[in-house]
Amino acid sequence: MKARTTLFLAFLLIALFFSGLALLRGPDWMLLLIGLIHGALAVGISRGVRNLIRLSVYIALLDFVFGIVWTIGMPSASSITLSLLAGLILAVLLDEEVRDELERAG
């Protein structure tokens, strides 16, 4: 699977994760906003938008840090899943060749 497709699906999964949490907790607008941001990043990665690809590195870092904090504070399957998925996204996005390929092919 190509890096673009993998990153698109990963950000889409995180967007669905946060949107689902927002719906389960009632109308939690902050979680819904986080889900929409991840959805916009997924679309930006699939289209090759340079600024969104660069922003996705920082968002993935925030996801990873907050996932680790959430895992330490309240270990659950969802917190561990978020941490692992964000860590994998971050590892892929930190590779300069992958980012150049994403920006070039867009």
Side-chain angles (χ1 to χ4, degrees), residues 3-36:
R4 178 180 307 277
T5 307
T6 304
L7 290 171
F8 169 75
L9 290 176
F11 272 104
L12 189 64
L13 283 173
I14 292 179
L16 291 173
F17 173 77
F18 280 113
S19 300
L21 276 179
L23 294 176
L24 286 175
R25 291 186 178 184
D28 191 345
W29 299 107
M30 187 57 69
L31 289 174
L32 191 60
L33 178 66
I34 293 170
L36 288 173

PDB file of all heavy atoms in Angstrom, residues 3-36:
ATOM      1  N   ALA A   3       2.168   5.142   0.629  1.00  0.00           N
ATOM      2  CA  ALA A   3       2.184   5.990   1.818  1.00  0.00           C
ATOM      3  C   ALA A   3       0.979   6.929   1.844  1.00  0.00           C
ATOM      4  O   ALA A   3       0.384   7.161   2.897  1.00  0.00           O
ATOM      5  CB  ALA A   3       3.475   6.789   1.877  1.00  0.00           C
ATOM      6  N   ARG A   4       0.603   7.451   0.692  1.00  0.00           N
ATOM      7  CA  ARG A   4      -0.540   8.376   0.625  1.00  0.00           C
ATOM      8  C   ARG A   4      -1.827   7.683   1.070  1.00  0.00           C
ATOM      9  O   ARG A   4      -2.584   8.216   1.873  1.00  0.00           O
ATOM     10  CB  ARG A   4      -0.697   8.909  -0.797  1.00  0.00           C
ATOM     11  CG  ARG A   4      -1.878   9.834  -0.964  1.00  0.00           C
ATOM     12  CD  ARG A   4      -1.994  10.342  -2.384  1.00  0.00           C
ATOM     13  NE  ARG A   4      -0.787  10.940  -2.898  1.00  0.00           N
ATOM     14  CZ  ARG A   4      -0.426  12.216  -2.673  1.00  0.00           C
ATOM     15  NH1 ARG A   4      -1.173  12.981  -1.939  1.00  0.00           N
ATOM     16  NH2 ARG A   4       0.686  12.688  -3.182  1.00  0.00           N
ATOM     17  N   THR A   5      -2.061   6.490   0.580  1.00  0.00           N
ATOM     18  CA  THR A   5      -3.267   5.757   0.938  1.00  0.00           C
ATOM     19  C   THR A   5      -3.251   5.360   2.406  1.00  0.00           C
ATOM     20  O   THR A   5      -4.266   5.473   3.098  1.00  0.00           O
ATOM     21  CB  THR A   5      -3.398   4.496   0.060  1.00  0.00           C
ATOM     22  OG1 THR A   5      -3.308   4.866  -1.308  1.00  0.00           O
ATOM     23  CG2 THR A   5      -4.705   3.799   0.314  1.00  0.00           C
ATOM     24  N   THR A   6      -2.100   4.929   2.885  1.00  0.00           N
ATOM     25  CA  THR A   6      -1.977   4.524   4.282  1.00  0.00           C
ATOM     26  C   THR A   6      -2.230   5.698   5.215  1.00  0.00           C
ATOM     27  O   THR A   6      -2.976   5.571   6.191  1.00  0.00           O
ATOM     28  CB  THR A   6      -0.572   3.950   4.540  1.00  0.00           C
ATOM     29  OG1 THR A   6      -0.339   2.874   3.629  1.00  0.00           O
ATOM     30  CG2 THR A   6      -0.439   3.457   5.957  1.00  0.00           C
ATOM     31  N   LEU A   7      -1.621   6.836   4.943  1.00  0.00           N
ATOM     32  CA  LEU A   7      -1.820   8.007   5.789  1.00  0.00           C
ATOM     33  C   LEU A   7      -3.243   8.540   5.697  1.00  0.00           C
ATOM     34  O   LEU A   7      -3.818   8.976   6.697  1.00  0.00           O
ATOM     35  CB  LEU A   7      -0.815   9.099   5.429  1.00  0.00           C
ATOM     36  CG  LEU A   7       0.623   8.793   5.811  1.00  0.00           C
ATOM     37  CD1 LEU A   7       1.562   9.836   5.220  1.00  0.00           C
ATOM     38  CD2 LEU A   7       0.767   8.737   7.315  1.00  0.00           C
ATOM     39  N   PHE A   8      -3.822   8.497   4.501  1.00  0.00           N
ATOM     40  CA  PHE A   8      -5.221   8.914   4.350  1.00  0.00           C
ATOM     41  C   PHE A   8      -6.126   8.059   5.224  1.00  0.00           C
ATOM     42  O   PHE A   8      -6.972   8.581   5.962  1.00  0.00           O
ATOM     43  CB  PHE A   8      -5.639   8.828   2.880  1.00  0.00           C
ATOM     44  CG  PHE A   8      -7.122   8.996   2.680  1.00  0.00           C
ATOM     45  CD1 PHE A   8      -7.706  10.244   2.789  1.00  0.00           C
ATOM     46  CD2 PHE A   8      -7.925   7.908   2.394  1.00  0.00           C
ATOM     47  CE1 PHE A   8      -9.069  10.405   2.610  1.00  0.00           C
ATOM     48  CE2 PHE A   8      -9.281   8.053   2.212  1.00  0.00           C
ATOM     49  CZ  PHE A   8      -9.857   9.310   2.317  1.00  0.00           C
ATOM     50  N   LEU A   9      -5.961   6.744   5.151  1.00  0.00           N
ATOM     51  CA  LEU A   9      -6.804   5.851   5.947  1.00  0.00           C
ATOM     52  C   LEU A   9      -6.560   6.014   7.444  1.00  0.00           C
ATOM     53  O   LEU A   9      -7.498   5.954   8.245  1.00  0.00           O
ATOM     54  CB  LEU A   9      -6.570   4.406   5.524  1.00  0.00           C
ATOM     55  CG  LEU A   9      -7.097   4.025   4.144  1.00  0.00           C
ATOM     56  CD1 LEU A   9      -6.704   2.601   3.804  1.00  0.00           C
ATOM     57  CD2 LEU A   9      -8.603   4.193   4.091  1.00  0.00           C
ATOM     58  N   ALA A  10      -5.311   6.244   7.836  1.00  0.00           N
ATOM     59  CA  ALA A  10      -5.006   6.416   9.255  1.00  0.00           C
ATOM     60  C   ALA A  10      -5.655   7.688   9.806  1.00  0.00           C
ATOM     61  O   ALA A  10      -6.273   7.655  10.880  1.00  0.00           O
ATOM     62  CB  ALA A  10      -3.498   6.438   9.465  1.00  0.00           C
ATOM     63  N   PHE A  11      -5.543   8.790   9.091  1.00  0.00           N
ATOM     64  CA  PHE A  11      -6.181  10.023   9.554  1.00  0.00           C
ATOM     65  C   PHE A  11      -7.699   9.913   9.492  1.00  0.00           C
ATOM     66  O   PHE A  11      -8.394  10.473  10.335  1.00  0.00           O
ATOM     67  CB  PHE A  11      -5.692  11.227   8.751  1.00  0.00           C
ATOM     68  CG  PHE A  11      -4.457  11.861   9.324  1.00  0.00           C
ATOM     69  CD1 PHE A  11      -3.231  11.658   8.729  1.00  0.00           C
ATOM     70  CD2 PHE A  11      -4.528  12.638  10.459  1.00  0.00           C
ATOM     71  CE1 PHE A  11      -2.085  12.229   9.255  1.00  0.00           C
ATOM     72  CE2 PHE A  11      -3.388  13.217  10.988  1.00  0.00           C
ATOM     73  CZ  PHE A  11      -2.164  13.010  10.388  1.00  0.00           C
ATOM     74  N   LEU A  12      -8.210   9.195   8.521  1.00  0.00           N
ATOM     75  CA  LEU A  12      -9.649   8.980   8.449  1.00  0.00           C
ATOM     76  C   LEU A  12     -10.137   8.152   9.636  1.00  0.00           C
ATOM     77  O   LEU A  12     -11.186   8.436  10.214  1.00  0.00           O
ATOM     78  CB  LEU A  12     -10.014   8.302   7.129  1.00  0.00           C
ATOM     79  CG  LEU A  12     -11.501   8.206   6.810  1.00  0.00           C
ATOM     80  CD1 LEU A  12     -12.093   9.598   6.651  1.00  0.00           C
ATOM     81  CD2 LEU A  12     -11.709   7.391   5.554  1.00  0.00           C
ATOM     82  N   LEU A  13      -9.370   7.140  10.027  1.00  0.00           N
ATOM     83  CA  LEU A  13      -9.730   6.345  11.201  1.00  0.00           C
ATOM     84  C   LEU A  13      -9.725   7.186  12.473  1.00  0.00           C
ATOM     85  O   LEU A  13     -10.619   7.048  13.323  1.00  0.00           O
ATOM     86  CB  LEU A  13      -8.777   5.161  11.357  1.00  0.00           C
ATOM     87  CG  LEU A  13      -9.002   3.986  10.432  1.00  0.00           C
ATOM     88  CD1 LEU A  13      -7.879   2.968  10.593  1.00  0.00           C
ATOM     89  CD2 LEU A  13     -10.333   3.344  10.724  1.00  0.00           C
ATOM     90  N   ILE A  14      -8.745   8.054  12.618  1.00  0.00           N
ATOM     91  CA  ILE A  14      -8.714   8.914  13.800  1.00  0.00           C
ATOM     92  C   ILE A  14      -9.880   9.906  13.763  1.00  0.00           C
ATOM     93  O   ILE A  14     -10.484  10.209  14.798  1.00  0.00           O
ATOM     94  CB  ILE A  14      -7.354   9.631  13.922  1.00  0.00           C
ATOM     95  CG1 ILE A  14      -6.258   8.613  14.242  1.00  0.00           C
ATOM     96  CG2 ILE A  14      -7.388  10.687  15.015  1.00  0.00           C
ATOM     97  CD1 ILE A  14      -4.878   9.195  14.350  1.00  0.00           C
ATOM     98  N   ALA A  15     -10.221  10.403  12.586  1.00  0.00           N
ATOM     99  CA  ALA A  15     -11.372  11.301  12.468  1.00  0.00           C
ATOM    100  C   ALA A  15     -12.656  10.584  12.874  1.00  0.00           C
ATOM    101  O   ALA A  15     -13.484  11.139  13.603  1.00  0.00           O
ATOM    102  CB  ALA A  15     -11.484  11.826  11.034  1.00  0.00           C
ATOM    103  N   LEU A  16     -12.819   9.357  12.429  1.00  0.00           N
ATOM    104  CA  LEU A  16     -14.006   8.583  12.810  1.00  0.00           C
ATOM    105  C   LEU A  16     -14.001   8.263  14.302  1.00  0.00           C
ATOM    106  O   LEU A  16     -15.053   8.254  14.948  1.00  0.00           O
ATOM    107  CB  LEU A  16     -14.078   7.293  11.994  1.00  0.00           C
ATOM    108  CG  LEU A  16     -14.386   7.460  10.514  1.00  0.00           C
ATOM    109  CD1 LEU A  16     -14.262   6.124   9.797  1.00  0.00           C
ATOM    110  CD2 LEU A  16     -15.767   8.041  10.333  1.00  0.00           C
ATOM    111  N   PHE A  17     -12.821   8.030  14.853  1.00  0.00           N
ATOM    112  CA  PHE A  17     -12.685   7.742  16.276  1.00  0.00           C
ATOM    113  C   PHE A  17     -13.178   8.916  17.113  1.00  0.00           C
ATOM    114  O   PHE A  17     -14.013   8.762  18.006  1.00  0.00           O
ATOM    115  CB  PHE A  17     -11.219   7.423  16.583  1.00  0.00           C
ATOM    116  CG  PHE A  17     -10.904   7.271  18.037  1.00  0.00           C
ATOM    117  CD1 PHE A  17     -11.252   6.113  18.712  1.00  0.00           C
ATOM    118  CD2 PHE A  17     -10.256   8.275  18.725  1.00  0.00           C
ATOM    119  CE1 PHE A  17     -10.951   5.971  20.056  1.00  0.00           C
ATOM    120  CE2 PHE A  17      -9.956   8.134  20.058  1.00  0.00           C
ATOM    121  CZ  PHE A  17     -10.310   6.982  20.732  1.00  0.00           C
ATOM    122  N   PHE A  18     -12.672  10.114  16.819  1.00  0.00           N
ATOM    123  CA  PHE A  18     -13.069  11.282  17.597  1.00  0.00           C
ATOM    124  C   PHE A  18     -14.516  11.681  17.336  1.00  0.00           C
ATOM    125  O   PHE A  18     -15.217  12.113  18.252  1.00  0.00           O
ATOM    126  CB  PHE A  18     -12.133  12.462  17.326  1.00  0.00           C
ATOM    127  CG  PHE A  18     -10.846  12.378  18.080  1.00  0.00           C
ATOM    128  CD1 PHE A  18      -9.649  12.191  17.412  1.00  0.00           C
ATOM    129  CD2 PHE A  18     -10.817  12.480  19.455  1.00  0.00           C
ATOM    130  CE1 PHE A  18      -8.455  12.116  18.105  1.00  0.00           C
ATOM    131  CE2 PHE A  18      -9.630  12.407  20.160  1.00  0.00           C
ATOM    132  CZ  PHE A  18      -8.448  12.215  19.480  1.00  0.00           C
ATOM    133  N   SER A  19     -14.979  11.524  16.114  1.00  0.00           N
ATOM    134  CA  SER A  19     -16.378  11.831  15.823  1.00  0.00           C
ATOM    135  C   SER A  19     -17.306  10.856  16.541  1.00  0.00           C
ATOM    136  O   SER A  19     -18.356  11.253  17.058  1.00  0.00           O
ATOM    137  CB  SER A  19     -16.628  11.779  14.318  1.00  0.00           C
ATOM    138  OG  SER A  19     -15.816  12.713  13.655  1.00  0.00           O
ATOM    139  N   GLY A  20     -16.917   9.595  16.583  1.00  0.00           N
ATOM    140  CA  GLY A  20     -17.712   8.611  17.315  1.00  0.00           C
ATOM    141  C   GLY A  20     -17.744   8.885  18.805  1.00  0.00           C
ATOM    142  O   GLY A  20     -18.786   8.754  19.455  1.00  0.00           O
ATOM    143  N   LEU A  21     -16.589   9.281  19.378  1.00  0.00           N
ATOM    144  CA  LEU A  21     -16.564   9.665  20.787  1.00  0.00           C
ATOM    145  C   LEU A  21     -17.467  10.859  21.046  1.00  0.00           C
ATOM    146  O   LEU A  21     -18.147  10.925  22.067  1.00  0.00           O
ATOM    147  CB  LEU A  21     -15.140  10.006  21.226  1.00  0.00           C
ATOM    148  CG  LEU A  21     -14.229   8.868  21.645  1.00  0.00           C
ATOM    149  CD1 LEU A  21     -12.856   9.416  22.009  1.00  0.00           C
ATOM    150  CD2 LEU A  21     -14.803   8.098  22.797  1.00  0.00           C
ATOM    151  N   ALA A  22     -17.473  11.811  20.129  1.00  0.00           N
ATOM    152  CA  ALA A  22     -18.318  12.994  20.286  1.00  0.00           C
ATOM    153  C   ALA A  22     -19.790  12.611  20.284  1.00  0.00           C
ATOM    154  O   ALA A  22     -20.581  13.147  21.067  1.00  0.00           O
ATOM    155  CB  ALA A  22     -18.030  14.002  19.170  1.00  0.00           C
ATOM    156  N   LEU A  23     -20.173  11.675  19.445  1.00  0.00           N
ATOM    157  CA  LEU A  23     -21.575  11.255  19.388  1.00  0.00           C
ATOM    158  C   LEU A  23     -21.961  10.398  20.585  1.00  0.00           C
ATOM    159  O   LEU A  23     -23.088  10.473  21.060  1.00  0.00           O
ATOM    160  CB  LEU A  23     -21.840  10.500  18.087  1.00  0.00           C
ATOM    161  CG  LEU A  23     -21.727  11.334  16.820  1.00  0.00           C
ATOM    162  CD1 LEU A  23     -21.905  10.461  15.588  1.00  0.00           C
ATOM    163  CD2 LEU A  23     -22.726  12.468  16.827  1.00  0.00           C
ATOM    164  N   LEU A  24     -21.039   9.602  21.090  1.00  0.00           N
ATOM    165  CA  LEU A  24     -21.345   8.765  22.250  1.00  0.00           C
ATOM    166  C   LEU A  24     -21.490   9.580  23.527  1.00  0.00           C
ATOM    167  O   LEU A  24     -22.272   9.221  24.406  1.00  0.00           O
ATOM    168  CB  LEU A  24     -20.250   7.710  22.441  1.00  0.00           C
ATOM    169  CG  LEU A  24     -20.251   6.559  21.450  1.00  0.00           C
ATOM    170  CD1 LEU A  24     -19.044   5.670  21.684  1.00  0.00           C
ATOM    171  CD2 LEU A  24     -21.532   5.754  21.565  1.00  0.00           C
ATOM    172  N   ARG A  25     -20.759  10.659  23.642  1.00  0.00           N
ATOM    173  CA  ARG A  25     -20.820  11.490  24.845  1.00  0.00           C
ATOM    174  C   ARG A  25     -21.913  12.546  24.755  1.00  0.00           C
ATOM    175  O   ARG A  25     -21.990  13.433  25.593  1.00  0.00           O
ATOM    176  CB  ARG A  25     -19.486  12.186  25.076  1.00  0.00           C
ATOM    177  CG  ARG A  25     -18.396  11.252  25.469  1.00  0.00           C
ATOM    178  CD  ARG A  25     -17.171  12.035  25.818  1.00  0.00           C
ATOM    179  NE  ARG A  25     -16.109  11.148  26.257  1.00  0.00           N
ATOM    180  CZ  ARG A  25     -14.953  11.559  26.688  1.00  0.00           C
ATOM    181  NH1 ARG A  25     -14.700  12.850  26.732  1.00  0.00           N
ATOM    182  NH2 ARG A  25     -14.043  10.697  27.062  1.00  0.00           N
ATOM    183  N   GLY A  26     -22.730  12.484  23.776  1.00  0.00           N
ATOM    184  CA  GLY A  26     -23.683  13.561  23.546  1.00  0.00           C
ATOM    185  C   GLY A  26     -23.055  14.526  22.564  1.00  0.00           C
ATOM    186  O   GLY A  26     -21.996  14.264  22.003  1.00  0.00           O
ATOM    187  N   PRO A  27     -23.651  15.639  22.358  1.00  0.00           N
ATOM    188  CA  PRO A  27     -23.047  16.582  21.396  1.00  0.00           C
ATOM    189  C   PRO A  27     -21.817  17.263  21.994  1.00  0.00           C
ATOM    190  O   PRO A  27     -21.877  18.388  22.472  1.00  0.00           O
ATOM    191  CB  PRO A  27     -24.160  17.570  21.110  1.00  0.00           C
ATOM    192  CG  PRO A  27     -25.049  17.498  22.299  1.00  0.00           C
ATOM    193  CD  PRO A  27     -24.938  16.101  22.843  1.00  0.00           C
ATOM    194  N   ASP A  28     -20.690  16.570  21.971  1.00  0.00           N
ATOM    195  CA  ASP A  28     -19.426  17.128  22.460  1.00  0.00           C
ATOM    196  C   ASP A  28     -18.738  17.802  21.277  1.00  0.00           C
ATOM    197  O   ASP A  28     -18.127  17.149  20.430  1.00  0.00           O
ATOM    198  CB  ASP A  28     -18.547  16.025  23.047  1.00  0.00           C
ATOM    199  CG  ASP A  28     -17.347  16.566  23.793  1.00  0.00           C
ATOM    200  OD1 ASP A  28     -17.040  17.767  23.619  1.00  0.00           O
ATOM    201  OD2 ASP A  28     -16.717  15.797  24.535  1.00  0.00           O
ATOM    202  N   TRP A  29     -18.822  19.116  21.234  1.00  0.00           N
ATOM    203  CA  TRP A  29     -18.374  19.864  20.071  1.00  0.00           C
ATOM    204  C   TRP A  29     -16.859  19.887  19.933  1.00  0.00           C
ATOM    205  O   TRP A  29     -16.342  19.966  18.821  1.00  0.00           O
ATOM    206  CB  TRP A  29     -18.937  21.290  20.110  1.00  0.00           C
ATOM    207  CG  TRP A  29     -20.423  21.276  20.085  1.00  0.00           C
ATOM    208  CD1 TRP A  29     -21.270  21.554  21.126  1.00  0.00           C
ATOM    209  CD2 TRP A  29     -21.262  20.900  18.996  1.00  0.00           C
ATOM    210  NE1 TRP A  29     -22.579  21.390  20.733  1.00  0.00           N
ATOM    211  CE2 TRP A  29     -22.602  20.989  19.428  1.00  0.00           C
ATOM    212  CE3 TRP A  29     -21.019  20.491  17.691  1.00  0.00           C
ATOM    213  CZ2 TRP A  29     -23.676  20.694  18.604  1.00  0.00           C
ATOM    214  CZ3 TRP A  29     -22.096  20.205  16.873  1.00  0.00           C
ATOM    215  CH2 TRP A  29     -23.394  20.303  17.332  1.00  0.00           C
ATOM    216  N   MET A  30     -16.136  19.814  21.041  1.00  0.00           N
ATOM    217  CA  MET A  30     -14.678  19.837  20.963  1.00  0.00           C
ATOM    218  C   MET A  30     -14.153  18.563  20.291  1.00  0.00           C
ATOM    219  O   MET A  30     -13.271  18.624  19.431  1.00  0.00           O
ATOM    220  CB  MET A  30     -14.065  19.989  22.355  1.00  0.00           C
ATOM    221  CG  MET A  30     -12.577  20.192  22.330  1.00  0.00           C
ATOM    222  SD  MET A  30     -12.015  21.599  21.362  1.00  0.00           S
ATOM    223  CE  MET A  30     -12.610  22.946  22.351  1.00  0.00           C
ATOM    224  N   LEU A  31     -14.694  17.414  20.675  1.00  0.00           N
ATOM    225  CA  LEU A  31     -14.273  16.160  20.043  1.00  0.00           C
ATOM    226  C   LEU A  31     -14.687  16.126  18.575  1.00  0.00           C
ATOM    227  O   LEU A  31     -13.958  15.598  17.728  1.00  0.00           O
ATOM    228  CB  LEU A  31     -14.858  14.966  20.788  1.00  0.00           C
ATOM    229  CG  LEU A  31     -14.260  14.686  22.163  1.00  0.00           C
ATOM    230  CD1 LEU A  31     -15.032  13.565  22.852  1.00  0.00           C
ATOM    231  CD2 LEU A  31     -12.801  14.325  22.046  1.00  0.00           C
ATOM    232  N   LEU A  32     -15.847  16.682  18.280  1.00  0.00           N
ATOM    233  CA  LEU A  32     -16.288  16.741  16.886  1.00  0.00           C
ATOM    234  C   LEU A  32     -15.364  17.636  16.061  1.00  0.00           C
ATOM    235  O   LEU A  32     -15.033  17.315  14.920  1.00  0.00           O
ATOM    236  CB  LEU A  32     -17.726  17.239  16.810  1.00  0.00           C
ATOM    237  CG  LEU A  32     -18.407  17.113  15.458  1.00  0.00           C
ATOM    238  CD1 LEU A  32     -18.463  15.658  15.017  1.00  0.00           C
ATOM    239  CD2 LEU A  32     -19.797  17.695  15.518  1.00  0.00           C
ATOM    240  N   LEU A  33     -14.909  18.741  16.649  1.00  0.00           N
ATOM    241  CA  LEU A  33     -13.967  19.626  15.960  1.00  0.00           C
ATOM    242  C   LEU A  33     -12.644  18.920  15.700  1.00  0.00           C
ATOM    243  O   LEU A  33     -12.067  19.039  14.604  1.00  0.00           O
ATOM    244  CB  LEU A  33     -13.734  20.890  16.786  1.00  0.00           C
ATOM    245  CG  LEU A  33     -12.733  21.881  16.220  1.00  0.00           C
ATOM    246  CD1 LEU A  33     -13.249  22.488  14.921  1.00  0.00           C
ATOM    247  CD2 LEU A  33     -12.438  22.964  17.233  1.00  0.00           C
ATOM    248  N   ILE A  34     -12.162  18.159  16.682  1.00  0.00           N
ATOM    249  CA  ILE A  34     -10.921  17.394  16.499  1.00  0.00           C
ATOM    250  C   ILE A  34     -11.099  16.372  15.381  1.00  0.00           C
ATOM    251  O   ILE A  34     -10.211  16.174  14.547  1.00  0.00           O
ATOM    252  CB  ILE A  34     -10.504  16.727  17.823  1.00  0.00           C
ATOM    253  CG1 ILE A  34     -10.113  17.794  18.839  1.00  0.00           C
ATOM    254  CG2 ILE A  34      -9.352  15.758  17.606  1.00  0.00           C
ATOM    255  CD1 ILE A  34      -9.916  17.263  20.239  1.00  0.00           C
ATOM    256  N   GLY A  35     -12.264  15.727  15.337  1.00  0.00           N
ATOM    257  CA  GLY A  35     -12.546  14.781  14.258  1.00  0.00           C
ATOM    258  C   GLY A  35     -12.580  15.458  12.896  1.00  0.00           C
ATOM    259  O   GLY A  35     -12.068  14.920  11.909  1.00  0.00           O
ATOM    260  N   LEU A  36     -13.165  16.646  12.830  1.00  0.00           N
ATOM    261  CA  LEU A  36     -13.215  17.376  11.560  1.00  0.00           C
ATOM    262  C   LEU A  36     -11.823  17.817  11.105  1.00  0.00           C
ATOM    263  O   LEU A  36     -11.522  17.798   9.914  1.00  0.00           O
ATOM    264  CB  LEU A  36     -14.137  18.590  11.682  1.00  0.00           C
ATOM    265  CG  LEU A  36     -15.629  18.273  11.758  1.00  0.00           C
ATOM    266  CD1 LEU A  36     -16.424  19.549  12.041  1.00  0.00           C
ATOM    267  CD2 LEU A  36     -16.098  17.617  10.485  1.00  0.00           C
TER     268      LEU A  36
END
